[in-house]
Amino acid sequence: MAFHSVEALCTAAGAVPLWEAVLLDDCQDRGVARDASFSRMAALWEAMKQSVRDYDPDKRSACGLTGGTGAQVEQAAVGLMSPFVTAVMSTALKVGECNACMGRIVAAPTAGASGVLPAVLLPMQKARGFSDEEAVRALFVAAGFGQVIATRASIAGAEGGCQAEIGSASAMGAAALVSLMGGTPEQMSFACASALQNLMGLVCDPVAGLVELPCVRRNVIGSLNALAAAELALAGVRNVIPCDEVIDAMRAVGDSLPSSLRETGGGGLAATPTGRHIAEMLSGHTQN
Amino acid sequence: MNIFDIMGPIMVGPSSSHTAGAARIGYIARRLLGCQPARAEILLHGSFAATGQGHGTDRALVAGLLGMAPDDPRLPASFELAHKAGMVFSISNTVLRGAHPNTVLLRLSDGAGQTVEVNASSLGGGRIRVNAIDGMEATFTGDYPTLIIRNEDRPGQVAEVASLLSWRGVNIATMQLYRDKRGGLAVMVIESDQPIQQNMIEVLRTSPGMVRVTYLNPERGN
């Protein structure tokens, strides 16, 4: 089964809420019971929460480039943004750093973009008192939109650039937020489209080919973009280009990206003198 | 692609292809040997060789060889755990002709005469593909219940396995046959729609001509 268009996803959400349409489709697709599907998603939510709880500000990645900034933002932010937004930023950094430092995370949709969904959902749960069950429902919404993006376009940086990883995570997060706030399926599709189009063209240019720089910090921008897209949609702002067309455009942009900007470590930040220097230093030391 | 290919897996970072996929490859290779390796030679190709150290590919492979799943929090400490467990391993780079960028060649031995060589690639999102076993082409992903049978190349072996499966109501989804030479060693890879019961595997193991029978069950995380 699986959903191949946002249009079909929204149509399926006629009789039941959109999250439930995604759950029912999963039950049919994998031949599992309703409880099994829900509890598997609930386990992912629990693991997301755990990855934030387990954050260790003293941990550094194997190459030493990454670590500590999640706590730094939490403690030393000067207040340009509200405490809620600062919490979103620090959560995104914490999970991104946890991933870079070989901690346990949930790929959503990828490991490199694993900070976005926890960053938009966890501070929201804390600020507004949503239950775990409501958060898990929002994850079904995120998964439903993510499935369409993966089917029509891509969720792999090596194929579609960072727009396919952070862009997709942001679009999934935007739709999830709208669902959490009680928005309509149409508003979810507006939010998804809006988030995706704002990050369209974002290239995958990791320094030394590692999921660290700029990946960790792009989780921050993906999260803030998701909040903005959801806020717009919930305020009733419509998106002109339909969500499926935005996804198709993202694919076309990804296809036209040169290989140097698709996770090869050959272009963008990776190709800067500093980026190259870091890569050379890292390839210098070997183990075993 | 189901929704849990999009959300998840739960894994130790930093990369689903270079870390989670590598751990799965190590685990499947261990299963193909049939026990914990006493010695392991790990040869990294392509992007695994270029960025494997920074991505923990080396530690993830060793973790898999020790029997850890991709979400095992002990994964980063796998080198130390291997030393404690008495597993001797070496890691080096190699170039494999025409291989996927994320490919590894694992040579394992149990220290008592049993060996296996596994060539496998990590395809992204934690999904993997075994390309060859003991130098013989054998392609499977472990996404389905999978039987890997190494047997003597002689008449009736395929029929015996197929009839046993059909008798127990197991539908064969795909089937591949390879051999090194006529009358030599053959590899049979069978992916099925239904899980295969443990007692059927025991029956296969004791059948004449069967050299080694491995069963991978994706529902149990392999």
Side-chain angles (χ1 to χ4, degrees), chain B residues 81-118:
Chain B
L81 292 168
H83 289 311
K84 263 187 215 161
M87 188 173 99
V88 180
F89 62 93
S90 69
I91 299 168
S92 52
N93 295 341
T94 189
V95 176
L96 302 166
R97 262 178 57 195
H100 183 280
N102 299 330
T103 298
V104 60
L105 188 68
L106 294 165
R107 293 195 181 117
L108 313 179
S109 76
D110 70 349
Q114 292 273 31
T115 64
V116 71
E117 183 188 279
V118 180

Side-chain angles (χ1 to χ4, degrees), chain A residues 2 22 26 29-30 37 40-41 43-44 47-48 62 99-112 117 139-140 142-144 146-147 150-151 155 172 208-212 263 285-288, chain B residues 1-19 47 50-60 70-73 75-77 79 83 89-93 123-125 219:
Chain A
V22 177
D26 178 53
D29 183 31
R30 296 191 299 122
S37 178
R40 186 159 170 192
M41 193 65 86
L44 296 183
M48 282 182 185
N99 178 59
C101 300
M102 297 190 82
R104 198 162 171 265
I105 53 89
V106 180
T110 62
L117 278 158
L139 286 182
F140 273 101
Q147 191 175 42
T151 309
I155 53 168
M172 289 159 65
L210 303 177
V211 191
E212 298 194 35
E263 209 181 339
H285 63 83
T286 51
Q287 58 192 79
N288 277 289
Chain B
M1 207 178 296
N2 75 57
I3 54 170
F4 295 103
D5 292 323
I6 312 293
M7 298 293 286
I10 301 171
M11 53 167 276
V12 168
S15 163
S16 58
S17 56
H18 286 64
T19 322
S47 175
T51 67
Q53 195 185 328
H55 280 131
T57 306
D58 43 10
R59 290 181 177 271
D71 71 335
D72 195 313
L75 188 150
F79 286 0
H83 289 311
F89 62 93
S90 69
I91 299 168
S92 52
N93 295 341
L123 308 176
E219 287 304 314

Side-chain angles (χ1 to χ4, degrees), chain B:
Chain B
M1 207 178 296
N2 75 57
I3 54 170
F4 295 103
D5 292 323
I6 312 293
M7 298 293 286
I10 301 171
M11 53 167 276
V12 168
S15 163
S16 58
S17 56
H18 286 64
T19 322
R24 274 196 75 203
I25 288 174
Y27 183 77
I28 286 178
R30 169 196 170 101
R31 294 292 312 280
L32 289 168
L33 180 69
C35 63
Q36 178 148 308
R39 286 174 201 286
E41 187 183 357
I42 300 171
L43 296 155
L44 304 170
H45 164 87
S47 175
F48 265 15
T51 67
Q53 195 185 328
H55 280 131
T57 306
D58 43 10
R59 290 181 177 271
L61 283 163
V62 171
L65 292 176
L66 288 169
M68 291 184 215
D71 71 335
D72 195 313
R74 297 171 303 161
L75 188 150
S78 67
F79 286 0
E80 295 74 16
L81 292 168
H83 289 311
K84 263 187 215 161
M87 188 173 99
V88 180
F89 62 93
S90 69
I91 299 168
S92 52
N93 295 341
T94 189
V95 176
L96 302 166
R97 262 178 57 195
H100 183 280
N102 299 330
T103 298
V104 60
L105 188 68
L106 294 165
R107 293 195 181 117
L108 313 179
S109 76
D110 70 349
Q114 292 273 31
T115 64
V116 71
E117 183 188 279
V118 180
N119 175 319
S121 306
S122 180
L123 308 176
R127 298 187 59 241
I128 65 112
R129 182 185 65 217
V130 170
N131 307 307
I133 299 170
D134 291 333
M136 275 180 282
E137 186 183 341
T139 309
F140 60 92
T141 61
D143 293 339
Y144 296 92
T146 307
L147 259 183
I148 303 104
I149 298 171
R150 274 158 288 179
N151 59 283
E152 292 165 13
D153 179 35
R154 63 185 205 199
Q157 298 287 62
V158 173
E160 186 173 337
V161 174
S163 66
L164 180 70
L165 293 180
S166 81
W167 181 54
R168 298 292 184 97
V170 173
N171 186 49
I172 295 176
T174 70
M175 183 169 195
Q176 308 161 64
L177 300 169
Y178 308 94
R179 67 177 183 187
D180 57 357
K181 61 175 190 282
R182 187 171 176 166
L185 190 68
V187 175
M188 216 185 299
V189 178
I190 295 169
E191 292 176 315
S192 65
D193 291 330
Q194 293 82 18
I196 298 169
Q197 303 305 319
Q198 188 58 38
N199 57 7
M200 292 170 68
I201 295 159
E202 295 309 327
V203 170
L204 284 172
R205 281 196 177 126
T206 52
S207 301
M210 299 295 167
V211 177
R212 212 179 298 168
V213 178
T214 307
Y215 174 57
L216 304 173
N217 182 357
E219 287 304 314
R220 291 206 202 126
N222 282 316

Side-chain angles (χ1 to χ4, degrees), chain A residues 36-106:
Chain A
S37 178
F38 195 89
S39 59
R40 186 159 170 192
M41 193 65 86
L44 296 183
W45 173 241
E46 196 44 53
M48 282 182 185
K49 293 202 291 185
Q50 190 68 37
S51 68
V52 177
R53 275 199 295 268
D54 287 350
Y55 174 71
D56 178 356
D58 296 326
K59 230 174 168 183
R60 294 293 175 272
S61 64
C63 71
L65 288 175
T66 301
T69 62
Q72 204 176 339
V73 167
E74 202 166 45
Q75 287 152 17
V78 297
L80 284 180
M81 286 179 272
S82 72
F84 169 72
V85 176
T86 308
V88 170
M89 290 174 62
S90 71
T91 308
L93 290 167
K94 284 177 180 177
V95 179
E97 290 179 340
C98 182
N99 178 59
C101 300
M102 297 190 82
R104 198 162 171 265
I105 53 89
V106 180

